[in-house]
Amino acid sequence: MPQPAPNARQSAVYLLDQVIGEGRLMSDLIAAGKLDRLDPADRARAQRLANDTLRGIDRADRLLNRHLRKPPPLHVFNILRLGTVELCMGGDAHGVVNDLVGLVGRNKRYGNLKGLVNAVLRKAAEDGARSWNDLRLPRLRKWLRDPLVAAWGAGRVTAMERAHFNGAPLDITPKGDGALWAEKLGGALLPTGSIRLTDAAQVSTLPGFDTGDWWVQDAAAALPVKILAPQPGEKILDLCAAPGGKTLQLAAAGADVTALDLSPRRMERVTENLARCGLSANCITGDALEHTGGPYDAILLDAPCSATGTIRRHPDLPFAKDGSEFGELIALQSAMLDHALTLLKPGGRLVFCTCSLLPDEGECQVDEACASHPDLTVDRSALDRPGIDPDWITEEGGLRLRPDLWPDLGGMDGFYIACLRR
């Protein structure tokens, strides 16, 4: 007999079990179809519940520790965490408690703990909401917090943690008139030209999605192409192109774009987005280190990195990773940058960027590249773009973006961007 389809809360707990217990990234789980049995609304709700729980897990554990003699098994603990966060964020106590008690009760392994879940969640419903906002701001895990404090100082890291806890609004890049689409969508036009929506419905139902008039892209992620300043007809290589927002920007500018990525599945998404937006690019699945095309007028290298700048959108990242891959990623970035420079025309320009908060994946890479290539210069003038604050420009001439910037506008992803010329 087929199992009944899971509901949003049950699926959210599954995501938590996989992220916290197995070190899986939520994006990988979703891409593998783990939420496909849900309808679109429940799928979105399951992701939201899991993300809210991961953002507030520090506070939830502090509240739960008041009512637990010892931590229960992880699956049950994650049910309690999800319920506590939902209750403290205004969820209906009757619905939350009954649903989660039923979830434990149906579990053959942990059904005997449904009384514990019932009692603890009822206590959380009584006192959690009153003390939620008085609890310490959730902190990054130690493996990441320590190097960030060393790089930016405790005060800035606390401000980043506040941005992470607040989450991220929806940013989009318009293909045409930004002011017009901001008005149509009820969004705000940001200083850099992106549009920000704070109460967005399901993306695919918004005006302009089906007609390809815009695409989802964080405001910080839209800046590398603006700094590259593509011109019509220029031959431009977009290395590590997926999911394709930058490819779309380049194509919309009229450039002759070659988009390359290692993952066939991710390149399918690039192709789909190009088709939806009525744009074209030469899409190649392959290894960036083996690409021999060119020479190119300009190259955009959004190198694989720790993705530590995207935590406000992806709060699972600090739980699914532990920093052990940093050294390998830094070496890969350096190799990619060296290879990309061989594909560039004399006098050409290359924008190197990473969605990382770690200087080793940004400022240090550019310093080392300039030391290794005496003919390489950093083009500071490329950063003279609308909305870019001169205070964001670093000593070596790159752009350092952090989640705590634009606090009154809702923050931005962490990014490092530099424009290099030969």
Side-chain angles (χ1 to χ4, degrees):
M1 186 178 216
Q3 292 290 319
N7 62 25
R9 287 194 183 99
Q10 182 179 351
S11 297
V13 172
Y14 169 79
L15 292 175
L16 294 173
D17 289 347
Q18 291 295 303
V19 169
I20 299 171
E22 303 297 329
R24 302 282 302 278
L25 286 170
M26 204 180 301
S27 58
D28 291 342
L29 294 166
I30 294 165
K34 299 302 183 181
L35 299 185
D36 283 359
R37 295 177 68 194
L38 301 177
D39 63 43
D42 275 349
R43 194 179 308 140
R45 185 171 177 233
Q47 293 178 64
R48 178 181 57 78
L49 287 170
N51 281 329
D52 285 347
T53 303
L54 290 167
R55 289 189 182 102
I57 203 167
D58 191 13
R59 286 185 174 181
D61 286 359
R62 287 173 181 271
L63 286 173
L64 289 169
N65 286 339
R66 299 174 184 176
H67 310 299
L68 293 168
R69 293 180 182 175
K70 62 179 182 178
L74 181 64
H75 177 68
V76 177
F77 204 0
N78 285 336
I79 289 173
L80 291 172
R81 286 162 159 167
L82 183 143
T84 300
V85 170
E86 195 173 359
L87 290 167
C88 290
M89 294 181 69
D92 172 64
H94 180 77
V96 173
V97 175
N98 283 359
D99 193 16
L100 293 178
V101 169
L103 179 59
V104 175
R106 293 189 298 273
N107 189 298
K108 293 180 180 179
R109 188 172 181 182
Y110 302 119
N112 62 317
L113 295 177
K114 69 178 185 179
L116 171 74
V117 171
N118 182 58
V120 171
L121 287 182
R122 291 192 181 281
K123 289 176 181 176
E126 290 172 7
D127 66 11
R130 289 195 301 269
S131 58
W132 182 253
N133 290 327
D134 296 329
L135 292 168
R136 187 184 75 181
L137 184 72
R139 289 187 172 185
L140 288 165
R141 293 165 79 84
K142 185 176 175 60
W143 70 262
L144 180 55
R145 194 175 204 274
D146 285 354
L148 290 184
V149 168
W152 309 115
R156 282 182 177 173
V157 171
T158 297
M160 293 182 206
E161 289 167 333
R162 184 171 294 107
H164 294 160
F165 184 60
N166 290 337
L170 179 73
D171 290 351
I172 65 173
T173 298
K175 191 164 65 174
D177 188 330
L180 175 66
W181 278 105
E183 183 177 353
K184 283 186 178 182
L185 295 167
L189 188 63
L190 295 173
T192 53
S194 294
I195 297 168
R196 177 155 290 179
L197 307 178
T198 52
D199 297 308
Q202 190 175 329
V203 170
S204 60
T205 66
L206 294 173
F209 177 82
D210 287 337
T211 50
D213 289 294
W214 49 263
W215 51 89
V216 174
Q217 186 178 33
D218 186 81
L223 283 175
V225 171
K226 296 185 179 191
I227 289 166
L228 187 69
Q231 301 302 308
E234 279 191 314
K235 188 175 180 181
I236 299 181
L237 173 64
D238 184 6
L239 281 173
C240 311
K246 299 176 183 67
T247 302
L248 294 172
Q249 288 178 280
L250 294 168
D256 175 9
V257 186
T258 296
L260 182 145
D261 200 272
L262 185 62
S263 166
R265 176 179 58 80
R266 285 165 59 83
M267 279 306 298
E268 285 180 14
R269 186 175 173 189
V270 177
T271 304
E272 290 168 0
N273 282 328
L274 284 164
R276 178 177 64 84
C277 295
L279 299 169
S280 62
N282 176 29
C283 292
I284 301 173
T285 300
D287 189 335
L289 293 173
E290 296 177 359
H291 183 66
T292 57
Y296 294 95
D297 297 302
I299 296 175
L300 176 65
L301 173 55
D302 187 355
C305 71
S306 64
T308 46
T310 69
I311 292 172
R312 68 192 192 114
R313 295 187 185 279
H314 303 292
D316 55 315
L317 189 146
F319 296 88
K321 296 187 178 185
D322 61 6
S324 59
E325 80 281 15
F326 285 173
E328 183 178 339
L329 284 169
I330 290 165
L332 178 60
Q333 293 154 15
S334 180
M336 282 188 170
L337 183 49
D338 284 343
H339 181 65
L341 288 170
T342 69
L343 307 175
L344 195 61
K345 282 183 180 178
R349 62 202 187 281
L350 182 151
V351 164
F352 171 80
C353 60
T354 56
C355 54
S356 171
L357 293 170
L358 299 165
D360 283 347
E361 297 186 283
E363 292 88 340
C364 296
Q365 289 285 17
V366 168
D367 277 339
E368 291 177 7
C370 290
S372 300
H373 302 274
D375 61 336
L376 201 61
T377 60
V378 182
D379 184 359
R380 290 173 176 265
S381 66
L383 305 182
D384 186 15
R385 306 291 301 172
I388 290 181
D389 190 325
D391 288 343
W392 304 346
I393 299 174
T394 57
E395 183 179 349
E396 79 293 336
L399 190 67
R400 167 50 67 189
L401 306 176
R402 302 189 313 269
D404 57 302
L405 301 178
W406 281 353
D408 297 334
L409 297 176
M412 64 174 74
D413 280 357
F415 248 90
Y416 177 81
I417 310 163
C419 183
L420 307 174
R421 288 188 179 270
R422 300 204 75 158

